[in-house]
Amino acid sequence: MTTIGRNFDDIDISALATSLGCVPRDLATDSLVLEDVVAADPLAGDSPVLLRGIGNIDFDARAASALGIPLLLLIDAPGPHVDVTLQEASALGAVVAAAVTAAEAADVDKVKAALQVDVEPVMSAVVFETWLLKKAKGYNSHIVLPEGDDDRILQAADELLKRDICRLTILGDPEAIRARAAELGLDLSKATLSNPLTDPRAEEFAEKFTELRKSKGMTLEEARETMKDISYYATMMIHMGLADGMVSGAAHTTAHTIKPSFQIIKTVPGASVVSSIFLMVLRGRLWAFGDCAVNPNPTAEQLGEIAVVSAKTASQFGIDPRVAILSYSTGTSGFGPDVDRAVAALEVAKKLDPELHVDGPLQFDAAVDPVVAAKKMPESTVAGKANVFIFPDLDAGNIGYKTAQRTGHALAVGPILQGLNKPVNDLSRGATVADIVNTVAITAIQAGDK
């Protein structure tokens, strides 16, 4: 697959594509076009694609870089301006296969030879989201969305169903949901709509919840009232095997979303704490930040456990984990109770998973910069190469991910809850439709990997 950075009237792009054995396409700003290219699989018989650029080197070079395809520049004539363009494309991460004139482009064998270069795709929001949705689609998981009265939930459901990413149950008044979907021009015909207030299964759920909470003095009457709460009802659906996971929080607090999980789904064997990670796409990298949403002040034991669980979660999303337990100290460069806690957390993590690449305490620069790592921690298998970052507390974690998101233009996907028997994920109340789609896809993958 090759992208063409310039286009001139005297070059027949369709003919060139045919000569190269490619299908011509336009490199549009519509992400669906880019998704088609990323998803092309030669082993499945998909034809390679020749993308016609828009003529803006900034856009074309970034797209080629993100997609991991070579850039073929069409030029009017050689000259200093071409050198400047080549430097600009390279600075944007693109691999330029060749810069050819119209006459040179007619030499198909020469163009083919120039295009035989290996290009690694640079991680980007488009690449990651495409990979995420494609993987989620393969599991056909069943996800319940309790907040059927929120337009963003309905819009996200329409997009998910349109692409057949997963099966959905949406809670709320079915008639009201259908009417609002029609007003918004959405197709929710493939979704199951259920009203907790009228569903006959609510009695069975109440009885089961009474059993689960009888040691806490739960009565059947109290359980019936509890099942009128959409979060409890949706969580009970998961517990009863009627759904594989839940996504909520667009209109409710984190506590309202995950509290029922602690009471009904509970934690996996051996887990003492529920925690979270954010998947962060920034500067061509895919990283994981944890815990940025749940535990205010984890102990050393909890921090070590979070490190191990975060590595497992990260591996579900294509990360080969190298875990840094972050601190204001690298090794023995600093001292104090917080450094001692990081040292103890490292020992806990190593005991829980002796094969895991984990190190700490590490300052952030030592964790990500090979030059700094060579000076401060030359023997470490993590320093300078870390991709999973464990923050010492919720203050640091929340500030860290939001700083990267707001000033580094990172795509932050999450929080992804970990440590529960079944996947439940929380949305920010400011979540966009794209955030909801991504979180549902993540939940579907977690459910499928169980």
Side-chain angles (χ1 to χ4, degrees), residues 14-32:
S14 295
L16 177 60
T18 301
S19 300
L20 294 171
C22 299
V23 176
R25 295 288 296 272
D26 286 329
L27 182 57
T29 55
D30 184 348
S31 63
L32 289 178

Side-chain angles (χ1 to χ4, degrees), residues 17-353:
T18 301
S19 300
L20 294 171
C22 299
V23 176
R25 295 288 296 272
D26 286 329
L27 182 57
T29 55
D30 184 348
S31 63
L32 289 178
V33 173
L34 298 185
E35 287 174 16
D36 292 342
V37 176
V38 175
D41 184 0
L43 296 179
D46 294 341
S47 297
V49 178
L50 181 71
L51 289 171
R52 180 185 359 234
I54 67 172
N56 180 300
I57 192 62
D58 183 85
F59 179 84
D60 292 343
R62 289 180 189 276
S65 174
L67 296 169
I69 58 180
L71 181 67
L72 179 66
L73 287 173
L74 302 184
I75 59 175
D76 48 2
H81 67 288
V82 176
D83 294 333
V84 172
T85 301
L86 291 173
Q87 291 172 5
E88 186 179 353
S90 179
L92 292 169
V95 173
V96 180
V100 298
T101 63
E104 291 168 334
D107 188 343
V108 176
D109 290 336
K110 199 170 186 177
V111 173
K112 279 185 176 179
L115 294 175
Q116 300 306 309
V117 292
D118 292 326
V119 185
E120 286 294 324
V122 175
M123 181 55 68
S124 69
V126 170
V127 171
F128 178 67
E129 289 174 336
T130 299
W131 177 89
L132 192 68
L133 294 174
K134 186 176 181 181
K135 183 169 183 179
K137 186 174 182 177
Y139 288 115
N140 192 34
S141 299
H142 184 181
I143 308 302
V144 57
L145 304 174
E147 298 166 314
D149 55 353
D150 190 296
D151 285 353
R152 293 166 296 167
I153 294 293
L154 303 185
Q155 290 165 336
D158 172 77
E159 188 170 339
L160 289 159
L161 294 169
K162 191 181 301 177
R163 301 190 196 183
D164 292 321
I165 302 301
C166 60
R167 291 171 289 143
L168 294 176
T169 290
I170 305 173
L171 301 187
D173 181 342
E175 289 187 12
I177 291 173
R178 290 190 189 99
R180 185 56 181 158
E183 290 175 7
L184 296 172
L186 308 176
D187 181 5
L188 301 181
S189 58
K190 293 181 182 178
T192 299
L193 307 181
S194 181
N195 188 346
L197 300 179
T198 59
D199 189 342
R201 293 177 300 184
E203 182 65 20
E204 181 185 1
F205 288 1
E207 292 172 357
K208 187 65 177 179
F209 187 64
T210 303
E211 289 180 28
L212 291 172
R213 303 290 292 171
K214 63 183 178 182
S215 63
K216 303 294 183 180
M218 178 64 62
T219 67
L220 180 58
E221 191 58 37
E222 290 172 333
R224 285 173 179 150
E225 284 301 308
T226 302
M227 284 306 110
K228 293 178 182 178
D229 183 296
I230 57 169
S231 290
Y232 275 94
Y233 183 90
T235 306
M236 189 59 74
M237 282 186 64
I238 301 169
H239 180 71
M240 301 290 283
L242 300 172
D244 300 316
M246 177 180 86
V247 172
S248 189
H252 295 84
T253 64
T254 296
H256 185 262
T257 297
I258 66 176
K259 181 181 176 182
S261 303
F262 299 149
Q263 298 178 356
I264 298 171
I265 296 175
K266 302 181 179 177
T267 57
V268 296
S272 66
V273 64
V274 173
S275 60
S276 72
I277 65 168
F278 278 84
L279 295 174
M280 307 293 295
V281 182
L282 73 166
R283 296 185 179 181
R285 300 184 179 100
L286 176 61
W287 284 343
F289 284 9
D291 174 6
C292 305
V294 180
N295 296 282
N297 293 291
T299 64
E301 291 73 18
Q302 291 173 332
L303 209 56
E305 183 181 317
I306 290 169
V308 172
V309 174
S310 296
K312 291 179 180 176
T313 303
S315 67
Q316 290 181 294
F317 300 97
I319 297 175
D320 183 11
R322 291 182 182 269
V323 185
I325 298 176
L326 297 177
S327 173
Y328 59 79
S329 170
T330 293
T332 57
S333 68
F335 57 89
D338 289 337
V339 177
D340 295 340
R341 182 166 59 113
V343 171
L346 176 64
E347 294 307 310
V348 171
K350 286 181 174 179
K351 286 180 182 177
L352 290 173
D353 187 352

